[in-house]
Amino acid sequence: MSESAQRQGDAFENLLHEERRFPPSEEFAAQALAQPSLYEEARSRGTEFWADQARACLSWETDFTQTLDWSEAPFAKWFVGGKLNAAYNALDRHVEEGRGDRMAIHFEGEPGDTRSYTYAELTESVKKAANAFESLGLQKGDRVAVYLPMIPEAVITMLACARIGAVHSVVFGGFSADALRSRIDDAEAKLVVTADGTYRRGKPSALKPAVDAALEKEGSTITNVVVVRRNNEPVEWTEGRDVWWDDVVDSASSEHTAVAHDSEHPLFILYTSGTTGKPKGILHTTGGFLTQTAFTHKYTFDLRPETDVFWCTADIGWVTGHSYVAYAPLINGATQLMYEGTPDTPHQGRWWELIEKYKVSILYTAPTAIRTFMKWGRDIPKKFDLSSIRVLGSVGEPINPEAWMWYREIIGGGKAPIVDTWWQTETGAHMISPMPGVTRTKPGSAQVAVPGIAVDVVDEMGQSVPNGSGGYLVVREPWPSMLRGIWGDPERFKQTYWSRFDDMYFAGDGAKKDEDGDIWLLGRVDDVMNVSGHRLSTTEIESALVSHPSVAEAAVVGAKDETTGEAVVAFVILRGSAKDDDDIVTTLRNHVGKEIGPIAKPRNILVVPELPKTRSGKIMRRLLKDVAEGREVGDATTLADNTVMQQIAASLRK
Ligand code: WT7
């Protein structure tokens, strides 16, 4: 086992002593949508289980003739021959079937402004946006970069693209102009949809300047920039390129027919960090993605679209905001809440106030948020009426048992079941999760594969490990919402996910099976960090650091952090001429912010005289992690120069 997997294995021993068990209440179990028979059905139907779900969750214009074509593995085709339109499934059909008056989105802006869209209204808005985009020359297959805050136009834009068959590539608003440009270039996007800005911590925060900066350098494939007016701050304007959303969308016709696309037609690209410097454009297609997101949204959250109010707090810039904000809730005809801002504006009870106000019944959020609320204290949520909550979800990183218990007691009133959902940008939808009403939950464990999904934990040789042991998390069988590849790089797709083990998908996570066979996730086993549930690449941040003229060499590690799970800690060697002072640390932090985005800024930058390397020149991050986490430095005998760690320790004492 690799060093990091071993280290995680040790940490796991503590978890194994977790004895608390929370079976579903009899009342919940009796009425739950997911019953034990769902697992039996999945087992007995095999691949055809997904054909059943595809037909149950979606309206197909043309039914498919083959459930799975795996003949060109690892390139999968699901629901072969089927045709459907994603936007029609999310919108029009609800209106046609008499659900037009149901609330689709309650939107609350950070300043407290509100808007709401029924299914009929959202359908009309998406039709208008589709017409507007087409009038700008957008066609099926074209790529659209979406650089928007959490406002309804984000969802409208994504669905308008899907309606036309254009492929959206959402870039998180916290990414820099450079990061936006490299994603525009990689996907050869034609259109950017952005906003003048948004609100952050009670103040306007700009977005459009980043788009302008991204497009400053010549040679981009962008022909138009559509700008949503959100905070009414003044913006620079490029005539002929920039158009206001209000001008093109508001005046567009609200008649638009959704043409059905092939089940395998690309739906979106979403860039995520890998182990090398260059982000990967993860490609998802239509039929399989929609099937598994809708299926999991229904069963893992026990969704009752007529009565529930669902709130997924993720930004649309991440996959969670794709699968469980833009698509699944609408496919399932649910009512959801969308909130633009930060959790502590204007006060630290904002989320709980929103839950009380909109009677949110299903909350889906990340452990890092829960830990932040724990720090703020239970008195804050206690001031609000949270009795509407009946299911709680967690996603993005392992949830520590303390946070799990707090979530259950303080937010869930000691009775709402918690579903800890493990999945990835690449998997598109939940893969491991308890089913509320079936699974006897354990604080801190994601536990069991979703019905129809074949996950396992294997050793170095790819052998399934026995209960009580750890190893690597893999997926043994193709699944409907699996990534179909990396945009423009089929080799990297095979190399990254399918070469570590024969015929198995390698997720990059370490995991253990406990005595009952339940799965506990242990974090990444590669050079990918998880900061507040966001994926960051150590190599990408190292590249950003060495691109600064003052830096000779850099090594980045993820160090344990009480709130964010992991934090970025950088070790840098300065060039001869550069000075080691506070300024350089600030300069380098800002430099990383400019190159990648504020989320990638290191928590600490430590200037050191040397980096620990093996004889073959590989940086031993394990030792740096020991330093960053304030531990005794581990075995350093394989270093090329075994005095390096002392030199580092001495320089940090200074
Ligand atoms: C990585 C994927 C899934 C949407 C958000 C993140 C970690 C995710 C869990 C969980 C333990 C988790 C894994 C995974 N992760 N959910 N419930 N328990 N770890 O998507 O950015 O693609 O990151 O997040 O390490 O590989 P992503």
Side-chain angles (χ1 to χ4, degrees):
M1 189 183 287
S2 76
E3 283 172 4
S4 63
Q6 179 59 53
R7 199 174 47 243
Q8 286 162 337
D10 297 342
F12 177 75
E13 296 312 319
N14 306 328
L15 295 175
L16 264 186
H17 301 301
E18 179 55 67
E19 303 270 310
R20 288 169 288 197
R21 300 288 179 271
F22 297 92
S25 72
E26 267 174 43
E27 194 191 338
F28 197 105
Q31 296 178 15
L33 291 175
Q35 292 292 327
S37 57
L38 193 66
Y39 291 94
E40 281 148 40
E41 219 177 290
R43 250 190 309 274
S44 66
R45 294 280 286 152
T47 310
E48 289 312 296
F49 174 73
W50 288 115
D52 301 342
Q53 304 314 324
R55 293 189 179 106
C57 295
L58 302 170
S59 301
W60 295 79
E61 197 228 26
T62 309
D63 194 14
F64 46 92
T65 50
Q66 186 184 1
T67 304
L68 168 66
D69 178 358
W70 192 230
S71 61
E72 287 168 57
F75 297 92
K77 291 195 186 91
W78 280 90
F79 313 124
V80 183
K83 287 195 194 312
L84 77 170
N85 186 288
Y88 174 83
N89 272 276
L91 302 164
D92 310 48
R93 66 164 173 159
H94 297 306
V95 181
E96 286 170 16
E97 291 165 18
R99 296 185 288 276
D101 291 338
R102 186 182 295 170
M103 198 55 76
I105 299 178
H106 291 291
F107 167 73
E108 174 125 349
E110 200 194 72
D113 56 319
T114 61
R115 267 194 272 167
S116 59
Y117 290 82
T118 62
Y119 273 89
E121 289 163 346
L122 195 63
T123 305
E124 188 179 313
S125 299
V126 169
K127 287 179 173 178
K128 283 178 158 229
N131 280 321
F133 294 170
E134 281 181 334
S135 74
L136 294 171
L138 197 69
Q139 290 175 357
K140 179 170 177 173
D142 288 343
R143 273 81 60 205
V144 178
V146 181
Y147 192 65
L148 280 169
M150 279 303 277
I151 55 177
E153 285 82 356
V155 172
I156 294 169
T157 297
M158 292 162 83
L159 291 172
C161 289
R163 192 173 186 94
I164 303 170
V167 184
H168 56 74
S169 163
V170 181
V171 179
F172 175 57
F175 278 125
S176 67
D178 290 359
L180 173 62
R181 176 60 184 263
S182 68
R183 285 156 176 77
I184 288 172
D185 288 350
D186 188 73
E188 300 177 276
K190 197 166 177 179
L191 194 70
V192 182
V193 184
T194 188
D196 48 5
T198 175
Y199 294 91
R200 271 278 167 285
R201 302 203 141 70
K203 288 200 285 286
S205 159
L207 270 176
K208 173 81 166 35
V211 177
D212 293 333
L215 299 179
E216 205 162 73
K217 199 175 88 215
E218 280 181 21
S220 103
T221 44
I222 296 297
T223 53
N224 285 109
V225 177
V226 180
V227 188
V228 177
R229 226 185 278 273
R230 170 62 188 142
N231 65 12
N232 290 305
E233 292 289 305
V235 291
E236 301 264 322
W237 206 251
T238 303
E239 281 311 326
R241 183 195 73 184
D242 298 350
V243 291
W244 285 111
W245 173 282
D246 296 348
D247 290 342
V248 289
V249 177
D250 289 0
S251 59
S253 153
S254 54
E255 298 291 318
H256 186 278
T257 310
V259 176
H261 305 297
D262 193 88
S263 174
E264 282 299 335
H265 183 68
L267 186 62
F268 67 86
I269 304 167
L270 182 59
Y271 287 83
T272 187
S273 296
T275 53
T276 68
K278 191 173 182 272
K280 304 174 283 201
I282 302 300
L283 174 67
H284 282 286
T285 61
T286 311
F289 175 83
L290 296 179
T291 297
Q292 195 175 328
T293 52
F295 168 79
T296 50
H297 182 247
K298 174 174 171 186
Y299 289 104
T300 35
F301 298 122
D302 192 55
L303 177 83
R304 316 295 165 137
E306 304 81 17
T307 47
D308 273 320
V309 177
F310 177 76
W311 185 20
C312 167
T313 64
D315 189 281
I316 46 126
W318 309 104
V319 72
T320 312
H322 283 59
S323 305
Y324 300 103
V325 177
Y327 288 103
L330 298 172
I331 296 286
N332 286 337
T335 298
Q336 70 176 316
L337 172 63
M338 184 174 194
Y339 171 57
E340 176 186 33
T342 41
D344 51 355
T345 307
H347 57 81
Q348 293 179 330
R350 187 71 188 270
W351 277 24
W352 320 119
E353 187 179 68
L354 287 170
I355 289 174
E356 179 181 291
K357 176 174 173 188
Y358 293 99
K359 300 200 170 35
V360 170
S361 53
I362 306 172
L363 175 66
Y364 191 32
T365 193
T368 186
I370 299 165
R371 288 192 298 266
T372 303
F373 296 131
M374 284 172 76
K375 227 167 40 189
W376 293 346
R378 60 180 63 197
D379 293 348
I380 296 170
K382 288 274 183 210
K383 280 189 221 132
F384 298 89
D385 177 7
L386 306 181
S387 61
S388 53
I389 288 186
R390 53 177 212 95
V391 179
L392 294 171
S394 176
V395 60
E397 56 174 313
I399 177 165
N400 46 310
E402 298 69 38
W404 196 100
M405 289 304 299
W406 192 90
Y407 198 26
R408 181 179 163 93
E409 295 301 326
I410 309 301
I411 308 307
K415 59 178 205 291
I418 295 180
V419 287
D420 174 11
T421 61
W422 178 90
W423 57 296
Q424 310 175 295
T425 306
E426 291 87 341
T427 71
H430 301 163
M431 300 292 279
I432 307 176
S433 172
M435 286 292 147
V438 180
T439 314
R440 186 190 52 162
T441 52
K442 302 175 179 176
S445 171
Q447 296 188 285
V448 287
V450 163
I453 298 298
V455 294
D456 199 359
V457 181
V458 300
D459 64 16
E460 287 287 341
M461 305 305 295
Q463 301 293 323
S464 186
V465 303
N467 289 354
S469 312
Y472 302 101
L473 187 73
V474 296
V475 189
R476 290 189 172 277
E477 300 289 338
W479 63 100
S481 62
M482 66 195 284
L483 75 166
R484 297 303 194 264
I486 295 176
W487 186 257
D489 203 345
E491 266 317 302
R492 190 174 176 197
F493 170 62
K494 287 197 233 171
Q495 190 57 36
T496 309
Y497 306 105
W498 303 94
S499 66
R500 181 70 181 76
F501 301 109
D502 285 340
D503 305 327
M504 284 186 258
Y505 170 86
F506 171 54
D509 279 45
K512 280 228 179 187
K513 293 180 191 166
D514 67 14
E515 296 306 323
D516 304 321
D518 282 323
I519 296 174
W520 296 71
L521 279 311
L522 304 175
R524 303 288 305 192
V525 293
D526 53 12
D527 293 333
V528 170
M529 292 171 291
N530 190 325
V531 178
S532 298
H534 299 154
R535 226 159 113 172
L536 295 170
S537 149
T538 53
T539 335
E540 200 181 345
I541 300 176
E542 286 166 4
S543 308
L545 285 166
V546 296
S547 75
H548 191 277
S550 296
V551 177
E553 274 191 80
V556 164
V557 296
K560 238 185 172 15
D561 183 283
E562 270 205 10
T563 309
T564 58
E566 280 190 297
V568 180
V569 176
F571 294 80
V572 296
I573 305 178
L574 297 179
R575 282 190 194 282
S577 53
K579 280 211 312 288
D580 168 13
D581 52 25
D582 284 352
D583 275 0
I584 188 74
V585 170
T586 313
T587 306
L588 292 180
R589 287 189 80 239
N590 291 338
H591 179 69
V592 172
K594 182 188 164 290
E595 291 285 311
I596 305 173
I599 49 164
K601 282 185 183 178
R603 184 189 69 187
N604 308 100
I605 297 185
L606 307 171
V607 177
V608 291
E610 279 302 331
L611 290 172
K613 288 183 187 157
T614 61
R615 261 157 280 223
S616 60
K618 197 171 176 305
I619 294 173
M620 289 187 74
R621 292 203 179 79
R622 170 173 64 84
L623 300 176
L624 294 174
K625 204 164 162 127
D626 289 340
V627 174
E629 294 179 350
R631 254 193 320 271
E632 186 88 14
V633 173
D635 182 10
T637 48
T638 54
L639 284 180
D641 171 359
N642 59 21
T643 66
V644 166
M645 292 317 292
Q646 284 135 11
Q647 292 179 44
I648 291 177
S651 77
L652 296 181
R653 271 197 300 271
K654 273 200 302 212

